């Protein structure tokens, strides 16, 4: 029955701790900030959420299954490359991305000036028009791990469409 459905949605979420001495990357864009996100890969929390949303929509599991953080080949990995591999996997099973909506949760820095660059970069990485990408940013209202600047989080939702038979 599901084989006949033309569209599917997928949801992604990720969290990374903020630490000193790491670059801050959000959606493949370098952000000037005194702290960065810690992790096995480059810890781009937004690209990880987008990757999980794509995997979820296509029924391909999650980022930890495809790119285990115990695998040395992913030490310091460029999350854009992992996203690229994920897009290829999604296409292999017959789906293409329609649009992305996402939210970055960060107390600081103010991301409004970075949002256009992040949107543009996501559009390039995902190979969809910029108007099919929406980037939102929220603070943590100074409460919880985001508000205390201990972590950043990201949420993403995607719609995928079955690729028409050739
Ligand atoms: Mg992650």
């Amino acid at each position: 029955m599901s084989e006949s459905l033309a569209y599917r949605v997928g949801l992604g979420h990720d969290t990374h701790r903020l630490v000193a001495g790491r670059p801050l990357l959000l959606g493949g864009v370098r952000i000037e900030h005194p702290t960065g996100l810690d992790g096995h890969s480059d810890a781009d929390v937004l690209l990880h959420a987008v990757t999980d949303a794509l995997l979820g929509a296509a029924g391909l599991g999650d980022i930890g299954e495809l790119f285990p953080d115990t695998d040395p080949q992913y030490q310091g990995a460029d999350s854009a490359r992992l996203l690229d591999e994920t897009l290829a996997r999604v296409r292999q099973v017959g789906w293409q991305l329609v649009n992305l909506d996402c939210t970055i949760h960060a107390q600081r820095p103010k991301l409004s000036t970075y949002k256009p660059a992040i949107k543009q970069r996501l559009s390039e990485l995902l190979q969809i028009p910029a108007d099919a990408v929406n980037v939102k940013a929220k603070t943590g209202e100074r409460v919880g791990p985001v508000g205390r600047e201990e972590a950043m989080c990201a949420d993403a939702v995607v719609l995928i469409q079955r690729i028409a038979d050739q």
Side-chain angles (χ1 to χ4, degrees):
M1 170 107 90
S2 68
E3 290 304 306
S4 66
L5 292 176
Y7 294 93
R8 285 184 176 182
V9 296
L11 175 70
H13 175 84
D14 197 27
T15 301
H16 280 267
R17 285 190 307 120
L18 276 165
V19 293
R22 291 266 299 183
L24 176 59
L25 281 160
L26 291 173
V29 173
R30 176 73 189 267
I31 310 288
E32 287 305 318
H33 198 56
T35 56
L37 296 171
D38 196 21
H40 186 72
S41 68
D42 65 14
D44 189 322
V45 70
L46 179 56
L47 290 192
H48 292 181
V50 172
T51 300
D52 252 355
L54 279 164
L55 291 171
L60 293 173
D62 66 34
I63 194 169
E65 292 170 27
L66 256 70
F67 311 110
D69 64 7
T70 50
D71 188 332
Q73 73 166 305
Y74 300 120
Q75 177 78 45
D78 177 354
S79 297
R81 185 172 68 79
L82 307 186
L83 179 58
D84 205 49
E85 284 184 35
T86 298
L87 261 188
R89 294 282 290 269
V90 168
R91 287 203 186 101
Q92 274 168 18
V93 294
W95 297 95
Q96 63 189 5
L97 178 60
V98 177
N99 76 302
L100 162 72
D101 187 20
C102 59
T103 305
I104 305 162
H105 302 267
Q107 185 62 39
R108 284 195 312 138
K110 196 164 175 51
L111 293 173
S112 52
T113 55
Y114 289 100
K115 281 197 280 188
I118 294 171
K119 177 184 169 110
Q120 183 59 37
R121 182 69 182 134
L122 286 172
S123 149
E124 290 164 11
L125 291 172
L126 296 166
Q127 298 158 44
I128 56 173
D131 68 2
V133 176
N134 192 72
V135 178
K136 306 193 291 293
K138 304 197 76 75
T139 73
E141 293 289 338
R142 296 198 181 90
V143 294
V146 170
R148 291 191 298 265
E149 298 182 51
E150 296 166 0
M152 287 185 183
C153 303
D155 297 307
V157 62
V158 297
L159 181 71
I160 60 172
Q161 177 180 27
R162 190 169 285 288
I163 297 168
D165 291 334
Q166 304 300 311

